[in-house]
Amino acid sequence: MRENNVRNLLLTMYTPYMTTSNLIRHITGFTGSNAIVVLSLDDKHYFFTDPRYDIQAEKELNGGLFRIHTCVAFTKIFEYMKESGIDRIHYISDITPYTMVEGVAQGYCIPTDGSDILGDLIECDKQEVYVYREKFSGDSYKLKIARVLRELLKNNQEFKEDSVFLITSVENISWLLNIRDADDHNTVPAVLGKVLLFGDASLTVFIEGDFIDSSLDHELHSDPDINFVNKEDFNQQLNNSLFYDVTTIMCTDVRDKGQHINDPITRLRAIKSHVEIANFIHIHTIDSFVLTDFLLNYINLGTYSEMSASEHLLSLRSAHKLFIGNSFVSISACNGSSASIHYHPTKGKDKKVDRGVYLLDSGGHYLGGTTDVTRTILVGQYDVSEHFKQHATRLLQGFIDMHTCVFPCGTSGKVLDVLSRAPLWRLEYNYPHGTGHGIGNYLNVHEGPCGFSSSTELQANMVLTIEPGFYCSGKYGIRMENVVFVKECGNGWLKFEPLTWVPIDLRMFHLNTLSKEQLLWLSWYTREVLKRNSKLGLSGNAIQVLLSDLETISLII
Amino acid sequence: MRENNVRNLLLTMYTPYMTTSNLIRHITGFTGSNAIVVLSLDDKHYFFTDPRYDIQAEKELNGGLFRIHTCVAFTKIFEYMKESGIDRIHYISDITPYTMVEGVAQGYCIPTDGSDILGDLIECDKQEVYVYREKFSGDSYKLKIARVLRELLKNNQEFKEDSVFLITSVENISWLLNIRDADDHNTVPAVLGKVLLFGDASLTVFIEGDFIDSSLDHELHSDPDINFVNKEDFNQQLNNSLFYDVTTIMCTDVRDKGQHINDPITRLRAIKSHVEIANFIHIHTIDSFVLTDFLLNYINLGTYSEMSASEHLLSLRSAHKLFIGNSFVSISACNGSSASIHYHPTKGKDKKVDRGVYLLDSGGHYLGGTTDVTRTILVGQYDVSEHFKQHATRLLQGFIDMHTCVFPCGTSGKVLDVLSRAPLWRLEYNYPHGTGHGIGNYLNVHEGPCGFSSSTELQANMVLTIEPGFYCSGKYGIRMENVVFVKECGNGWLKFEPLTWVPIDLRMFHLNTLSKEQLLWLSWYTREVLKRNSKLGLSGNAIQVLLSDLETISLII
């Protein structure tokens, strides 16, 4: 730093592709997912994180080296630094999102080349890239390019046929070109790279890696409209009058003449094609069977720890030929652990799963789609408290009310959100997370822009989760999560259709306080779970459990 | 116009106080509530209205004199005029809201003095003003002024103790000074005028009228901190560096050095004081009794027309000493008429109220508060269709679900809105109006900023209506409306408490499809209606009806 005349250097958690990097973890030891560091030659270094991680940061960082600050908005950091008497800060253009420094007074933030100071610490590992076949991705890249261009021209008067659009969102690039990272352990298998889309439907593409499947990538590489180049050549082409989406660009991508427009891929990606929906139905059927089998036949054996349970589940999922890997790190949590929303067991320190409340939030990437399911069940001969039952029942009501709602076109998830919350609100409880998120096709398990916290209008064939929760600190947590897709009723009305068919443990609820409509849905859902999973060979024991559930409900209706 | 070198003159529906004027009605014959006219010497005049009024405008206007255009946003008018080859438009500063011409290119809109052209057509009638006593208004004007100043200083860094705030909202002025228009027939009894509020808590006040009650206005007039002046003197004082709320100012109020800040009174006014809530409870009890009596003892006599029914209701309300007048023109509508959301019967053309669906939406201004209630009932021996019953039942569910919801502080009406709509949405029906609005204290029956279409956070002691509806064109309309206030549950949670206690006609619903919680609320509400109205002397017959309703519900629970 001294050599480069840098006294204060801003570091982020981002790679040059706005994915998460290990830079800050490497330098500070911090393992959380949100932080900014300012390395300083003057005094201690500065460490900023959000309030979720205040205790963790104190624990993991060396207080002799870092001043730790928690703040909700990272845009306040520069104000804070100014007030602390720091007269200027250097940042590394490559790993600093444009929106982070955009509003800061000129001359205060100074761009610098990170490789001089950090060397290969900010370089990304080379990926092995492969083509995600059309029968899984839904549409050809040719068709997708044409649709994206049409949207660009339709939505932006300024965007003409001789304009150039810089695509920097790696999920959007992977969707557009039907390519994925070949690493099965990558829960977000997006391909790192950047793309220039020209008004004549030709592309210039830089990919941080090599293609591994020569037969399938042949079409891409032999397409005269696609020009694969290396990083340097790509960056040289940026000297155009570019259009880009500022929300996903790094400072290094910004050219003087650039202009912001929304990347239309983000919305297009969220609306699944008919092929994608058919695939989602198929792989959710498979995944639901694995989970149903696991929850009804295995978890009660009393032989699992939190960790071994999720490992066994992974092995059951892996048996299917379309399965690729976990879509996120499973939350396998018993009793007290289940009250921590983001709990992950660690080997050796995990609990036994023998008696009590067990919460399992897991999902898989498959060729053809991604799953994300949560069930909370009672393990062993365990009687829950009245407090538990009351809250669980309200939770179930909110879960059902969202599943059964019908809504006019033009309605956003945000408008519907309260339907899942209102029953728990009656007990003066509000779960401290969203009601549900969009899901990608073997890409992000959390995919924008649709979801129940979003003002994006819901459209037919969007896929999202419904996952209300209740958490009683130190004692237990309950969450139920299904994946659903938006379906047309006709005449401008929409509804949700479940993709997940996994049993709900009825022992947790006061079923007699449900409304008749709620009971009818529960009965229908349980019947469907039974029907669909029986077809795939569910064991006789498990079938007995579901039949007995159906009888329980029918006695109340 | 020619003398003043004006070729095209813009006229609005506004008085200089942003209340509704008769100017356009006078000139064009149009009786709707939303229009703009451009008088032109070149050709026909231009008439703009919104799509609700397209047919009415064609009917009421002389097509030989006016070109009629319907548009949703009046801000598009200037673009349209430019495209029509009109090179400039004069407007009358006094009656043109600042926001209407704010964004138009300089030089295109030219201010002119209306009195030269229109003479006294744009003058307002002088009002008779009286003091709305503190026992009805809740707080003294002194206290209110102090609170408003505190809010101004707290919310706006730029507003200092030597700043001046121009108040132009006539409702806010009336609230601040505890004064009202003495005309009992004025449904919005706001006092026309303008006020300058100085940082030292002194006021300069111009009122378009005279005080009529010398004993009560003594305090205001003898207060050395309040300087009553005439219009000319007031306007001369505008040469300050003013702060104002642009949403309620006319072009004539804007001074070069002015600066926009939100008028804090709008929010303060919506949060009723404890005295106001006590008064609201009192006058709603009175009003509910009048309506209950009317609906259970009179309307079924078969002797009414739509018009005479609302006249009789007014006479019943008038019998109470606190009653002042209707808070809006009653909607008294039988069968087909009830399907028109804004139907008002006219003498001679109104229907008989003898057999069928009858919708009554009415309200009163009282010393101490304002009411607004809608009930739909069956008159005569009338059996409704299955279609009616299904929709009415869903409507009732939405009505109850909103009444019974509990929500965390910070929740807006907009977030809750779907609770009233979701049951009807299941039948793929959405009512084409808001779910409810704020209510003023003997001021506007529709009062901002709270309501179920608003993102204003609901706070304890806000008063609002819950009024879902269902309309089947040409056949019938159903609407149910109660006034409620927001009440604290403690621990950061809020709920609604009804102010209206008027019976619900149970014959309209499939009660057995309600949830147990919904039935329990209906039973509780009916019992409260019985208890509260019996105390005030409800007739034996009416009591029998309510007792039988209670029995009907209890047989289902």
Side-chain angles (χ1 to χ4, degrees):
Chain A
M1 280 167 69
R2 235 177 280 272
E3 277 170 37
N4 290 273
N5 205 16
V6 170
R7 297 206 68 78
N8 293 285
L9 180 68
L10 182 103
L11 302 179
T12 73
M13 303 279 289
Y14 296 106
T15 69
Y17 306 97
M18 221 184 233
T19 56
T20 308
S21 85
N22 284 321
L23 179 62
I24 286 182
R25 184 177 192 160
H26 185 90
I27 290 176
T28 69
F30 177 67
T31 61
S33 70
N34 197 18
I36 282 182
V37 164
V38 179
L39 296 179
S40 177
L41 291 184
D42 298 325
D43 193 7
K44 284 187 184 180
H45 308 304
Y46 296 84
F47 180 92
F48 300 91
T49 186
D50 69 64
R52 283 180 301 172
Y53 292 115
D54 52 353
I55 297 166
Q56 185 175 336
E58 294 285 350
K59 218 185 279 178
E60 295 179 343
L61 267 71
N62 179 341
L65 293 175
F66 293 94
R67 300 166 190 264
I68 299 170
H69 302 278
T70 55
C71 50
V72 175
F74 281 166
T75 48
K76 298 270 176 200
I77 288 177
F78 297 105
E79 283 173 35
Y80 175 83
M81 297 301 287
K82 268 182 213 170
E83 279 164 22
S84 306
I86 308 292
D87 64 345
R88 56 182 187 159
I89 296 179
H90 283 78
Y91 65 90
I92 300 166
S93 302
D94 250 5
I95 61 164
T96 307
Y98 176 62
T99 50
M100 192 178 274
V101 294
E102 188 192 5
V104 184
Q106 230 172 355
Y108 190 75
C109 293
I110 300 151
T112 183
D113 181 2
S115 56
D116 294 350
I117 299 168
L118 297 168
D120 54 12
L121 272 179
I122 61 165
E123 298 227 331
C124 294
D125 291 340
K126 288 263 178 263
Q127 291 179 307
E128 292 190 318
V129 175
Y130 79 110
V131 169
Y132 191 49
R133 282 187 277 173
E134 207 175 307
K135 70 177 198 185
F136 300 125
S137 65
D139 286 313
S140 70
Y141 71 87
K142 280 281 191 200
L143 192 72
K144 288 180 176 179
I145 290 169
R147 285 173 62 206
V148 172
L149 261 183
R150 206 159 53 229
E151 292 286 311
L152 282 169
L153 290 162
K154 195 181 76 185
N155 302 338
N156 308 282
Q157 278 196 317
E158 329 81 87
F159 192 88
K160 310 281 184 203
E161 302 204 343
D162 58 350
S163 300
V164 188
F165 183 58
L166 169 63
I167 310 174
T168 47
S169 153
V170 291
E171 290 87 2
N172 288 358
I173 291 170
S174 305
W175 175 88
L176 182 69
L177 295 177
N178 293 335
I179 52 177
R180 299 290 187 272
D181 179 15
D183 178 359
D184 293 349
H185 298 292
N186 188 352
T187 55
V188 184
V191 175
L192 306 185
K194 300 190 195 250
V195 167
L196 285 170
L197 169 59
F198 296 85
D200 63 357
S202 69
L203 305 180
T204 295
V205 179
F206 161 65
I207 294 292
E208 188 87 67
D210 300 310
F211 280 74
I212 53 166
D213 185 339
S214 57
S215 68
L216 286 168
D217 69 20
H218 180 71
E219 194 187 349
L220 278 170
H221 279 98
S222 63
D223 188 330
D225 288 337
I226 303 185
N227 185 22
F228 283 93
V229 297
N230 63 29
K231 195 172 192 170
E232 289 64 40
D233 289 346
F234 188 90
N235 285 336
Q236 274 186 358
Q237 289 209 33
L238 293 184
N239 293 319
N240 282 294
S241 156
L242 288 176
F243 289 82
Y244 41 62
D245 190 321
V246 291
T247 60
T248 57
I249 58 171
M250 294 299 182
C251 289
T252 192
D253 300 321
V254 177
R255 291 297 174 271
D256 280 349
K257 289 183 178 170
Q259 191 180 337
H260 167 76
I261 53 181
N262 291 323
D263 185 344
I265 299 175
T266 307
R267 201 181 61 88
L268 291 175
R269 188 156 66 94
I271 303 165
K272 270 54 179 175
S273 71
H274 293 293
V275 174
E276 281 181 299
I277 291 292
N279 283 332
F280 264 81
I281 290 172
H282 181 56
I283 64 100
H284 273 83
T285 306
I286 295 164
D287 194 68
S288 294
F289 176 77
V290 172
L291 262 171
T292 303
D293 182 31
F294 183 68
L295 292 175
L296 295 182
N297 290 321
Y298 291 92
I299 196 69
N300 261 293
L301 297 178
T303 55
Y304 293 100
S305 70
E306 291 168 340
M307 203 66 194
S308 69
S310 72
E311 282 165 356
H312 186 202
L313 178 62
L314 175 62
S315 76
L316 290 174
R317 279 190 167 121
S318 301
H320 199 279
K321 66 181 191 304
L322 294 177
F323 182 76
I324 298 160
N326 281 332
S327 56
F328 57 96
V329 181
S330 300
I331 300 174
S332 168
C334 201
N335 295 325
S337 316
S338 60
S340 301
I341 296 171
H342 298 289
Y343 175 78
H344 297 296
T346 41
K347 225 160 198 163
K349 291 185 190 163
D350 58 333
K351 296 206 192 88
K352 254 199 108 178
V353 180
D354 52 0
R355 194 165 169 277
V357 176
Y358 177 65
L359 185 155
L360 179 61
D361 184 352
S362 71
H365 283 309
Y366 290 78
L367 289 171
T370 296
T371 69
D372 183 0
V373 189
T374 310
R375 285 295 182 270
T376 307
I377 61 165
L378 304 182
V379 177
Q381 293 301 318
Y382 185 72
D383 283 333
V384 287
S385 65
E386 179 57 23
H387 184 255
F388 179 104
K389 268 202 171 179
Q390 274 184 8
H391 286 85
T393 305
R394 291 298 189 177
L395 180 80
L396 177 64
Q397 291 182 312
F399 184 74
I400 296 175
D401 287 354
M402 188 64 92
H403 273 81
T404 55
C405 74
V406 174
F407 48 97
C409 288
T411 305
S412 68
K414 203 175 187 169
V415 163
L416 299 178
D417 185 61
V418 72
L419 294 176
S420 260
R421 293 185 191 271
L424 275 167
W425 280 4
R426 285 170 196 256
L427 300 180
E428 301 184 5
Y429 178 81
N430 193 20
Y431 44 90
H433 56 70
T435 298
H437 53 83
I439 294 199
N441 174 356
Y442 178 28
L443 213 42
N444 321 47
V445 72
H446 287 201
E447 178 181 87
C450 70
F452 293 104
S453 310
S454 156
S455 6
T456 298
E457 291 179 7
L458 293 170
Q459 284 182 263
N461 293 347
M462 282 179 167
V463 176
L464 56 170
T465 66
I466 298 174
E467 48 175 316
F470 171 70
Y471 309 92
C472 184
S473 178
K475 291 185 176 164
Y476 54 79
I478 321 165
R479 188 166 61 253
M480 297 177 58
E481 178 182 26
N482 271 1
V483 181
V484 298
F485 70 100
V486 180
K487 202 170 170 179
E488 272 175 14
C489 312
N491 302 317
W493 290 87
L494 301 168
K495 62 178 181 174
F496 296 122
E497 179 102 348
L499 287 166
T500 307
W501 304 104
V502 177
I504 295 166
D505 188 341
L506 302 187
R507 295 167 298 173
M508 304 197 302
F509 313 110
H510 286 306
L511 290 182
N512 59 344
T513 65
L514 297 191
S515 73
K516 194 169 171 198
E517 278 180 315
Q518 288 162 344
L519 285 168
L520 285 174
W521 182 88
L522 194 59
S523 167
W524 168 79
Y525 185 77
T526 306
R527 216 161 43 241
E528 289 294 316
V529 168
L530 171 60
K531 212 165 70 184
R532 289 162 192 257
N533 287 298
S534 304
K535 269 190 202 163
L536 299 184
L538 194 66
S539 71
N541 275 348
I543 290 177
Q544 284 308 316
V545 171
L546 293 173
L547 283 171
S548 140
D549 281 354
L550 275 173
E551 200 181 326
T552 304
I553 304 169
S554 72
L555 286 175
I556 298 167
I557 296 178
Chain B
M1 282 167 70
R2 234 177 282 272
E3 277 170 36
N4 290 274
N5 205 16
V6 171
R7 297 205 69 78
N8 293 285
L9 180 67
L10 181 102
L11 303 179
T12 73
M13 303 279 288
Y14 296 106
T15 69
Y17 306 97
M18 221 184 232
T19 56
T20 309
S21 85
N22 284 322
L23 179 62
I24 286 182
R25 183 176 192 161
H26 185 88
I27 289 175
T28 67
F30 177 67
T31 61
S33 70
N34 196 18
I36 282 181
V37 164
V38 179
L39 295 179
S40 177
L41 291 183
D42 299 325
D43 194 5
K44 284 188 186 181
H45 307 304
Y46 295 84
F47 180 92
F48 301 91
T49 185
D50 69 64
R52 283 180 302 172
Y53 292 115
D54 53 354
I55 297 166
Q56 185 176 334
E58 294 285 351
K59 217 185 278 180
E60 295 179 343
L61 266 71
N62 180 341
L65 294 174
F66 293 93
R67 300 168 190 262
I68 299 169
H69 302 278
T70 54
C71 51
V72 175
F74 281 166
T75 47
K76 298 269 177 202
I77 288 177
F78 296 104
E79 282 172 36
Y80 175 84
M81 297 301 287
K82 267 183 213 168
E83 281 165 20
S84 306
I86 309 292
D87 64 345
R88 55 182 186 157
I89 295 180
H90 283 79
Y91 65 90
I92 300 166
S93 304
D94 251 5
I95 62 165
T96 307
Y98 175 64
T99 50
M100 192 179 274
V101 295
E102 188 192 6
V104 183
Q106 228 172 356
Y108 189 75
C109 293
I110 299 151
T112 183
D113 181 1
S115 57
D116 294 351
I117 299 168
L118 297 167
D120 56 11
L121 273 179
I122 61 164
E123 298 228 331
C124 293
D125 291 339
K126 288 261 176 264
Q127 290 178 308
E128 292 190 319
V129 175
Y130 78 110
V131 168
Y132 191 49
R133 282 185 276 172
E134 206 175 307
K135 71 179 197 182
F136 300 125
S137 65
D139 286 314
S140 71
Y141 71 87
K142 280 281 193 201
L143 192 71
K144 288 180 175 178
I145 291 169
R147 284 174 60 206
V148 172
L149 262 183
R150 207 161 50 229
E151 291 286 312
L152 283 169
L153 290 163
K154 194 180 74 185
N155 302 337
N156 308 283
Q157 278 195 318
E158 327 83 87
F159 192 89
K160 308 282 184 201
E161 301 206 342
D162 59 350
S163 301
V164 188
F165 183 58
L166 169 62
I167 310 174
T168 47
S169 154
V170 291
E171 291 87 2
N172 287 359
I173 291 169
S174 304
W175 175 87
L176 182 68
L177 295 178
N178 294 335
I179 53 177
R180 298 290 186 274
D181 178 16
D183 179 0
D184 292 350
H185 299 291
N186 189 351
T187 53
V188 184
V191 175
L192 305 184
K194 300 190 196 251
V195 168
L196 285 170
L197 169 59
F198 295 86
D200 64 356
S202 70
L203 305 180
T204 295
V205 179
F206 160 65
I207 294 293
E208 188 86 67
D210 299 309
F211 280 74
I212 54 166
D213 185 338
S214 58
S215 68
L216 286 168
D217 69 19
H218 179 71
E219 195 188 348
L220 278 171
H221 280 98
S222 63
D223 188 329
D225 288 337
I226 303 187
N227 185 22
F228 283 93
V229 297
N230 63 29
K231 194 173 190 169
E232 289 64 40
D233 289 347
F234 188 90
N235 284 338
Q236 274 187 357
Q237 289 210 32
L238 293 184
N239 294 319
N240 281 296
S241 157
L242 288 176
F243 289 83
Y244 41 60
D245 189 321
V246 292
T247 60
T248 57
I249 59 171
M250 293 300 182
C251 289
T252 193
D253 299 322
V254 177
R255 292 295 174 272
D256 280 348
K257 289 183 179 169
Q259 192 180 336
H260 167 75
I261 53 180
N262 291 323
D263 186 344
I265 298 176
T266 307
R267 201 181 61 87
L268 290 175
R269 188 155 67 93
I271 303 164
K272 271 52 179 176
S273 71
H274 293 293
V275 174
E276 281 181 300
I277 291 292
N279 283 331
F280 264 81
I281 290 172
H282 181 56
I283 65 102
H284 274 82
T285 307
I286 295 164
D287 194 68
S288 294
F289 176 75
V290 172
L291 263 170
T292 303
D293 183 31
F294 183 68
L295 292 174
L296 294 183
N297 290 320
Y298 290 93
I299 196 69
N300 260 295
L301 296 177
T303 55
Y304 293 100
S305 70
E306 291 169 340
M307 202 66 194
S308 69
S310 72
E311 281 165 357
H312 186 202
L313 178 63
L314 176 61
S315 76
L316 290 173
R317 279 190 167 120
S318 302
H320 198 281
K321 66 182 191 306
L322 293 176
F323 182 75
I324 297 160
N326 281 331
S327 55
F328 58 94
V329 181
S330 299
I331 300 174
S332 166
C334 201
N335 295 324
S337 315
S338 61
S340 303
I341 296 170
H342 297 289
Y343 175 78
H344 297 294
T346 42
K347 224 158 200 163
K349 292 185 190 162
D350 58 332
K351 297 206 191 89
K352 255 200 105 176
V353 180
D354 52 0
R355 194 164 170 279
V357 177
Y358 178 65
L359 184 154
L360 179 61
D361 184 351
S362 71
H365 282 309
Y366 291 79
L367 289 172
T370 296
T371 70
D372 182 0
V373 189
T374 310
R375 285 294 182 271
T376 306
I377 59 164
L378 304 182
V379 178
Q381 292 300 319
Y382 185 73
D383 282 334
V384 287
S385 65
E386 179 57 23
H387 183 255
F388 179 104
K389 268 201 170 178
Q390 273 183 7
H391 286 84
T393 305
R394 290 297 189 178
L395 181 79
L396 177 64
Q397 291 182 311
F399 184 73
I400 296 175
D401 287 355
M402 189 65 92
H403 273 81
T404 54
C405 75
V406 175
F407 48 97
C409 288
T411 305
S412 70
K414 204 173 186 170
V415 164
L416 300 179
D417 185 60
V418 72
L419 294 176
S420 259
R421 294 185 192 272
L424 274 167
W425 280 4
R426 284 170 195 257
L427 300 179
E428 300 184 5
Y429 178 82
N430 193 20
Y431 44 91
H433 56 70
T435 298
H437 53 83
I439 294 199
N441 174 355
Y442 178 29
L443 214 40
N444 321 47
V445 71
H446 287 199
E447 178 181 88
C450 69
F452 292 105
S453 311
S454 156
S455 2
T456 299
E457 290 178 7
L458 293 170
Q459 284 181 264
N461 294 348
M462 283 180 167
V463 176
L464 58 171
T465 67
I466 298 173
E467 47 174 318
F470 171 70
Y471 310 93
C472 184
S473 179
K475 291 186 176 164
Y476 54 79
I478 321 165
R479 188 166 59 254
M480 298 176 59
E481 178 183 25
N482 271 1
V483 181
V484 298
F485 70 100
V486 180
K487 203 170 170 180
E488 272 174 13
C489 312
N491 301 320
W493 290 86
L494 301 169
K495 62 177 182 176
F496 296 123
E497 179 102 348
L499 287 166
T500 307
W501 303 103
V502 176
I504 295 165
D505 188 341
L506 301 187
R507 295 167 299 172
M508 306 197 301
F509 313 109
H510 287 306
L511 291 182
N512 58 346
T513 65
L514 297 191
S515 73
K516 195 169 171 199
E517 278 180 315
Q518 289 162 344
L519 285 167
L520 285 174
W521 182 88
L522 195 60
S523 168
W524 168 79
Y525 185 76
T526 307
R527 217 161 42 241
E528 288 294 315
V529 168
L530 172 60
K531 212 165 70 184
R532 288 161 192 258
N533 287 299
S534 305
K535 268 191 203 163
L536 299 183
L538 195 66
S539 70
N541 275 346
I543 290 176
Q544 284 308 317
V545 172
L546 293 173
L547 283 172
S548 138
D549 281 355
L550 276 173
E551 202 180 326
T552 304
I553 303 168
S554 72
L555 286 174
I556 299 166
I557 297 178

